[in-house]
Amino acid sequence: RKEVEQDPGPFNVPEGATVAFNCTYSNSASQSFFWYRQDCRKEPKLLMSVYSSGNEDGRFTAQLNRASQYISLLIRDSKLSDSATYLCVVTKDSNYQLIWGAGTKLIIKP
Amino acid sequence: SQTIHQWPATLVQPVGSPLSLECTVEGTSNPNLYWYRQAAGRGLQLLFYSVGIGQISSEVPQNLSASRPQDRQFILSSKKLLLSDSGFYLCAWSLRQGTSRKLFFGSGTQLSVL
């Protein structure tokens, strides 16, 4: 089993729709969780951290389910500019190592 | 504000040639520095990280090496490139203090070994 698993997609979604995807992780000792966004042939950029109680940033909502060991990202009122690959990142129990998912590709269609 | 510079953006090298990729960070001191490689359809793979000048930790055995000659400079090298070294290389930094592991990336180098 991979340490961090994501559905590679692509998710093809009409503009204005709501889309959600999950990421599962295998290490129950993981402490920190993040969603990064990566455009084609560009560097990843931090989208948001994921907190235990769930958190929201504008149209984006992130949630953590420790019991089932997954995190989720929900995008409301999707925009064409949301098209990208979304990377799930989880820390190991050491203080530096991040484990990256391979990403979920999202395509927003007009 | 902090910025990270990575160059070149693209590189085509023959098998057996040497490699040197450079990364510099501005606007912060004592950062943690990282080199990652991203293969198509794969997650980012950590190659090296550094918590200080001259301190390099390698995550995977490979044909590459890293050096940190100055606090905000990180260099990825190879004496002889292999075909399997092709990929998208990313330099990144994070704050040394605290528990945050948020990473900030350079713009990446697309390396093609032919």
Side-chain angles (χ1 to χ4, degrees):
Chain A
R1 181 186 175 187
K2 290 182 182 177
E3 292 180 279
V4 176
E5 289 200 71
Q6 295 184 251
D7 182 340
F11 284 51
N12 290 286
V13 175
E15 190 176 8
T18 296
V19 60
F21 26 84
N22 291 342
C23 163
T24 58
Y25 61 94
S26 61
N27 187 349
S28 59
S30 296
Q31 294 295 319
S32 299
F33 309 87
F34 307 93
W35 283 104
Y36 279 74
R37 172 203 166 116
Q38 186 175 26
D39 294 296
C40 188
R41 298 185 182 275
K42 299 288 187 182
E43 74 275 20
K45 293 183 180 178
L46 179 65
L47 179 64
M48 57 197 305
S49 303
V50 186
Y51 301 119
S52 298
S53 55
N55 48 297
E56 189 174 304
D57 183 0
R59 299 182 292 108
F60 298 83
T61 300
Q63 298 220 313
L64 167 64
N65 185 317
R66 285 193 183 273
S68 301
Q69 293 183 203
Y70 74 85
I71 65 172
S72 63
L73 179 67
L74 181 134
I75 306 174
R76 290 182 299 279
D77 187 24
S78 53
K79 312 290 184 191
L80 295 176
S81 57
D82 293 333
S83 297
T85 296
Y86 290 84
L87 305 173
C88 167
V89 189
V90 173
T91 58
K92 271 198 168 179
D93 48 9
S94 60
N95 66 355
Y96 66 87
Q97 192 167 2
L98 301 176
I99 308 300
W100 294 74
T104 296
K105 186 171 185 178
L106 175 65
I107 300 172
I108 305 299
K109 297 185 176 297
Chain B
S1 63
Q2 301 91 353
T3 56
I4 178 169
H5 302 280
Q6 183 183 344
W7 65 93
T10 59
L11 193 59
V12 180
Q13 292 285 101
V15 169
S17 64
L19 173 74
S20 181
L21 301 181
E22 189 164 340
C23 170
T24 58
V25 180
E26 296 177 358
T28 188
S29 297
N30 305 314
N32 288 337
L33 296 173
Y34 309 82
W35 277 110
Y36 280 89
R37 177 170 59 204
Q38 187 177 33
R42 306 279 298 274
L44 271 69
Q45 180 186 36
L46 179 63
L47 302 175
F48 301 95
Y49 76 96
S50 171
V51 298
I53 296 174
Q55 300 180 61
I56 309 294
S57 295
S58 174
E59 287 299 303
V60 293
Q62 59 205 313
N63 184 42
L64 302 167
S65 62
S67 61
R68 186 170 177 174
Q70 300 180 44
D71 180 47
R72 288 170 285 179
Q73 183 184 27
F74 207 22
I75 298 171
L76 182 70
S77 305
S78 173
K79 292 182 179 178
K80 288 185 177 181
L81 285 169
L82 306 172
L83 287 174
S84 58
D85 291 325
S86 294
F88 191 45
Y89 288 82
L90 290 154
C91 180
W93 72 274
S94 69
L95 291 171
R96 177 85 58 82
Q97 289 77 25
T99 58
S100 173
R101 295 271 65 84
K102 296 176 184 178
L103 293 185
F104 302 92
F105 287 88
S107 53
T109 297
Q110 184 64 51
L111 173 65
S112 300
V113 182
L114 306 177

